Amino acid sequence: MKAQPKASHFVNGDWLEDTAGAPIEVIYPGTGEVIARLHAATPAVLEAAIAGAVAAQADWGRRRPIERARVLMKAVEIIRARGEELALLETLDTGKPIQETRVADWPSGADALEYFAGLAPTVTGETIPLGGDFAYTIREPLGVCAGIGAWNYPSQIACWKAAPALALGNAMVFKPSEVTPLGALKLAEILIEAGMPAGLFNVVQGRGAVGAALATDSRIAKVSLTGSVPTGAKVYAAAAAGMKHVTMELGGKSPLIVFDDADLDSAVGAAMLGNFYSSGQICSNGTRVFVQRSVKEAFLSRLAARTAKIVAGDPLAEDTQFGPLVSAAQHEKVLGYIERAKAEGARLVCGGSAGNEGPLFVQPTVFADVTDTMTLAREEVFGPVMAVLDFETEEEVIARANGTEFGLAAGVFTADLARGHRVIGQLAAGTCWINAYNLTPVEMPFGAVKASGLGRENSRAAVEHYTQVKAVYVGTGPVDSPY
Ligand code: NAD
């Protein structure tokens, strides 16, 4: 088999198998071929992973941050040196074109490890003068964190969670999506090779039940989930019962607003990136493209012309720009949304059917004349389906853009920067762009408002979510007591 790992799990610094766990078949979405066979974690595997993490964290959390940083920097070096091999595995696991996985997935993960390695030694507390007495604060690790991943950026998600967790002195038990379980195992192996003590980053496979077991275990201090809104609600509720910290990176239906003074070619390019990159399987995608009416037809004709030139095909081919969806279930779901958009009266501009490059392809699809009440404007499709809506005024588009339960991302294209800032200031979204879309450098906080989640990944903001403050009052004189 093309990508069979040595075992299903990586626990306490080594591969671990337990064939009693439910089978998980990994398919290469490019062809539908089975590339690995794994097993879900049994209670014994989970116990080994959590107990190992608890034991390893006690020492790791007390080490000098710069020592922890050195290990992460070594891992960065290994990831960059093995870029091609890792990109290939990511393409096999997800079906995303090798063009993308070479530049986006592991490279972004390596950036996160590098950033938090650099940041960790700078994380300090404060001293609070109290007129003779004083207090100080310490930022302590939380303990053992659970990471639960989605299937669209499996290795990036593993790195984005592991990097701040480990740099700041925590241990992690990570459960990848059952659809794309391979990349996280590589990360675990690389961290050991880089000198990380055993037990600090464990990977256990499984479906929702394994994630739920992590979210409810009393030894887990925090749950960081990347997934859909319904899963987020369940995991948040389970974590709340145990008073655990959470980071929730969930779904979206984000607005991308194009005003009539915008550089239209840039706006079209951004709308395509924000709907067709990774075959549209990106949480922050600008899937409601609001175009000001006076430029709507010009926007649509340039969009259709450029979309027609997208090169779809074998994800492993050098020139392929557009791959299949990740699974048969996702393929069926996306085609269902396309049929529904047609039935509800949206105007099909291009695409609109399954692609003929392989079993899981869907054509890059654009619908125009979409209205706010159509299903396509309300629900997350998570596929290459762009909804174009039109608007007249700034006030109107702000209200309509905010008329959703989601609040992950938003974008504005305009030549008038004052308007850009004014509009972004009124949009309910955690991650925003002006005259750009979907760029997520590690230096910038990434996260959501409303139903799309809470907490922030990347940047200094993540420190808040992987540490807790201990406050220490220091008395310097006799104790003043009425008794
Ligand atoms: P999903 O919600 O189906 O699954 C996400 C993960 O949660 C998987 O590992 C799954 O096994 C696990 N899970 C399922 N039920 C669980 C439970 N009850 N308890 C604990 N864990 C459970 O999502 P998906 O289909 O894998 O991914 C697509 C979704 O992820 C989309 O909605 C997308 O928008 C979202 N996403 C968000 C971000 C972000 O950063 N905001 C990034 C990528 C994807």
Side-chain angles (χ1 to χ4, degrees), residues 148-152 175-178 207-208 211-212 225-228 231 234-235 249-251 283 380 382 408 446:
I148 303 175
W151 43 255
N152 60 336
K175 189 201 83 64
S177 165
E178 59 275 29
R207 302 183 170 81
L225 169 78
T226 299
S228 61
T231 303
K234 283 187 218 158
V235 174
E249 294 288 1
L250 310 176
C283 53
E380 185 185 46
F382 226 56
L408 180 51
F446 183 80

Side-chain angles (χ1 to χ4, degrees), residues 158-175:
C159 290
W160 280 20
K161 295 187 190 312
L166 297 171
L168 296 165
N170 303 281
M172 177 163 271
V173 179
F174 187 82
K175 189 201 83 64

Side-chain angles (χ1 to χ4, degrees), residues 83-97:
E84 190 58 25
E85 172 206 330
L86 294 170
L88 177 62
L89 183 66
E90 194 76 354
T91 288
L92 290 174
D93 210 10
T94 63
K96 294 192 289 182

Side-chain angles (χ1 to χ4, degrees), residues 314-357:
D314 175 3
L316 292 168
E318 293 286 328
D319 61 345
T320 294
Q321 299 173 316
F322 184 88
L325 294 179
V326 76
S327 65
Q330 194 62 16
H331 187 251
E332 194 185 319
K333 184 180 150 198
V334 171
L335 288 176
Y337 274 114
I338 289 175
E339 288 317 311
R340 194 141 172 205
K342 289 177 187 167
E344 289 180 11
R347 166 162 62 107
L348 184 64
V349 175
C350 55
S353 320
N356 55 13
E357 298 83 1

Side-chain angles (χ1 to χ4, degrees), residues 43 71 136 183 229 295 303 334 447 480:
V71 176
Y136 63 92
V229 170
V295 292
L303 175 62
V334 171
D480 182 15

